[in-house]
Amino acid sequence: MIQKSQKIKILAIETSCDETAAALIEGKTVNNKQLTINILSSVVASQIKLHQKYGGVYPEMASRAHAEKIIPVINKVINNKAVSIGMRDIDAIAVTVGPGLIGSLLVGVNAAKTLAYALQKPLIPINHLEGHIYANFVGNLKTKNEKVKTTTKNLKVPEFPLVALTVAGGHTALVLMKEHLDYQILGETLDDAAGEAFDKVARLLDLGYPGGPAIEQISARWKSKIQNSKFKTNPNIQIPNSKLIKLPRPMIHSDDFNFSFSGLKTAVLKIVKEEKFDQAALAFEFQEAVTDVLATKTLKATQKYKAKSVLLGGGVAANQRLRQKLTSQIQKYTDAQIFIPPLSLCTDNAAMIAAAAVFHFALKKERENWYNVKAEGNLRF
Ligand code: KG4
Ligand code: ZN
């Protein structure tokens, strides 16, 4: 039960992959029932530049960089001039304990344990995936990525049952939630995660790391080229066959909620090896294939479980094409509300970890002793 007029301040740490992040947030009850979450301070130190030359995350380098950055990042969050609270005013420390790279996770978990011990505060272990879901409960809640001023009148929050699609570099999952902190995995990827597929295909196309934003950019260029070209003004003119690339939509009609993206990567590799191809056209079709599958399966789950809300989360949720496609399908075929976090809360950050922790703190009686909290690379729900 959420208590009346409860205020909770959480300091969260996230180091599961290649971003060293910390955030300070405040959870408040509104209308005596709904917890709203506001970010007081959030810092993300990205390691993208470090890993770019390897075309992907280099785990050993990632943990070293986390070790260097973790204290300065926490310091910056705490010393934000706009935030007039001290470490002693914090109710709990939260930390991502998995899934992720074990060497990276250990840096964050040990920093969080040290703080919890020194400050004598509870330590809340958070699953990275629930963080991506709870990004949709952060601050000035919004639909369609528009910020709506949080007032007690127009407050929009996800309602249960809800379906959450989390799509990132390390995981892809469709999750059903009937209430807070209750996760039922409907489907997962059987091989590559959606973000991993973006990264691998970008590497095949020499587009650099991270692949998602690179593929999105070049695809947008291809789309505007087609739209502005003579093909649009005179539909009788055929687009040359060499420019029409068709990729499969793996498992789009399977009667489960699982995904598979490795075949798509192989199909792209085949084209890259055997044929002359237009790089932008291929990137565009790849993005269409991935987003078609993700949007179709999420719609199906929404209908099957009569979800009242649909939540998108994870790095791939930053993709505009996915945001558009999912929003239009959900709005067209269901009465569910769609929630999509702002871009800064899609890719890894600590505010989303703190958001999940607020609900753990408010709804769970037992407090974890820092001593029992452990990093777990393969953590599941
Ligand atoms: O959530 P995240 O920051 O880290 C993990 O939890 O893995 O997600 C990173 C993934 C990368 O694979 C990256 O290529 C992908 O998210 N990504 C995108 C976009 N921005 C990041 N994928 C497609 N379109 C984007 N705009
Ligand atoms: Zn993530």
Side-chain angles (χ1 to χ4, degrees):
M1 269 297 288
I2 296 170
Q3 290 163 22
K4 281 187 179 180
S5 60
Q6 198 173 8
K7 272 193 182 181
I8 303 162
K9 291 192 179 70
I10 306 260
L11 171 68
I13 294 172
E14 152 66 46
T15 61
S16 67
C17 190
D18 59 346
E19 329 276 355
T20 315
L24 197 55
I25 62 121
E26 184 179 60
K28 264 193 284 195
T29 41
V30 174
N31 294 342
N32 288 334
K33 58 181 175 74
Q34 186 59 56
L35 265 170
T36 68
I37 293 162
N38 285 307
I39 301 175
L40 301 178
S41 174
S42 177
V43 174
V44 178
S46 171
Q47 302 176 4
I48 283 180
K49 285 217 168 76
L50 191 68
H51 301 293
Q52 247 158 3
K53 56 176 172 289
Y54 305 102
V57 179
Y58 190 142
E60 177 64 26
M61 304 268 276
S63 33
R64 275 192 204 199
H66 285 307
E68 279 166 22
K69 284 277 159 59
I70 189 75
I71 300 296
V73 164
I74 294 172
N75 229 350
K76 204 167 166 192
V77 162
I78 293 296
N79 292 326
N80 181 342
K81 288 204 175 57
V83 182
S84 55
I85 71 164
M87 288 287 235
R88 301 248 159 237
D89 301 322
I90 294 164
D91 293 294
I93 315 284
V95 66
T96 306
V97 289
L101 301 170
I102 191 67
S104 293
L105 288 165
L106 279 169
V107 175
V109 169
N110 280 310
K113 280 184 159 187
T114 310
L115 280 173
Y117 171 72
L119 298 166
Q120 292 293 296
K121 303 284 180 190
L123 181 56
I124 306 176
I126 299 292
N127 180 315
H128 184 77
L129 268 75
E130 68 179 329
H132 278 307
I133 295 173
Y134 274 91
N136 288 286
F137 288 82
V138 173
N140 314 324
L141 290 142
K142 63 269 139 195
T143 49
K144 286 195 285 175
N145 198 29
E146 291 156 4
K147 286 216 165 184
V148 177
K149 219 171 170 230
T150 312
T151 67
T152 45
K153 260 193 208 149
N154 66 9
L155 184 71
K156 276 224 162 68
V157 288
E159 286 181 66
F160 300 100
L162 65 80
V163 162
L165 173 68
T166 55
V167 268
H171 40 258
T172 297
L174 256 176
V175 178
L176 174 68
M177 290 177 72
K178 291 186 176 153
E179 55 181 315
H180 278 298
L181 310 178
D182 169 51
Y183 311 99
Q184 183 186 334
I185 297 185
L186 303 177
E188 287 177 289
T189 181
L190 302 178
D191 39 58
D192 292 350
E196 190 180 355
F198 269 97
D199 294 335
K200 286 180 174 170
V201 166
R203 214 177 306 160
L204 292 176
L205 298 178
D206 275 333
L207 293 172
Y209 177 83
I215 287 187
E216 178 168 0
Q217 241 177 10
I218 193 167
S219 301
R221 247 185 284 150
W222 164 254
K223 200 175 167 213
S224 63
K225 195 162 119 191
I226 285 291
Q227 278 173 345
N228 297 332
S229 71
K230 55 190 178 204
F231 305 127
K232 194 184 172 199
T233 46
N234 183 353
N236 294 326
I237 293 177
Q238 292 289 307
I239 299 173
N241 259 347
S242 63
K243 297 204 171 192
L244 270 183
I245 297 171
K246 199 70 193 155
L247 290 171
R249 268 60 175 161
M251 296 183 73
I252 195 162
H253 297 304
S254 68
D255 49 7
D256 55 17
F257 293 107
N258 289 327
F259 302 93
S260 166
F261 294 111
S262 74
L264 207 44
K265 173 196 67 197
T266 314
V268 170
L269 177 64
K270 208 164 155 239
I271 294 172
V272 170
K273 271 191 174 165
E274 291 172 6
E275 296 165 31
K276 272 193 185 166
F277 66 96
D278 183 308
Q279 191 196 35
L282 185 50
F284 177 81
E285 173 61 7
F286 167 76
Q287 181 175 265
E288 288 306 300
V290 174
T291 52
D292 275 350
V293 176
L294 292 173
T296 304
K297 292 228 153 163
T298 308
L299 171 65
K300 211 167 109 185
T302 308
Q303 289 169 325
K304 176 164 180 186
Y305 294 97
K306 299 188 171 49
K308 290 190 180 148
S309 305
V310 177
L311 277 52
L312 183 59
V316 182
N319 187 279
Q320 295 300 334
R321 192 72 180 117
L322 177 61
R323 295 163 88 93
Q324 277 169 6
K325 238 181 228 181
L326 190 62
T327 303
S328 74
Q329 300 244 346
I330 296 297
Q331 288 178 344
K332 190 166 172 195
Y333 298 110
T334 77
D335 294 326
Q337 279 273 355
I338 174 112
F339 291 83
I340 304 180
L343 297 186
S344 61
L345 293 176
C346 288
T347 45
D348 289 349
N349 66 88
M352 67 184 196
I353 303 302
V358 165
F359 287 91
H360 278 266
F361 190 86
L363 302 173
K364 282 188 181 170
K365 284 244 159 40
E366 76 279 15
R367 299 277 175 248
E368 200 78 57
N369 186 317
W370 65 268
Y371 188 80
N372 295 324
V373 173
K374 287 189 173 54
E376 222 179 299
N378 296 321
L379 184 70
R380 295 181 56 81
F381 272 125

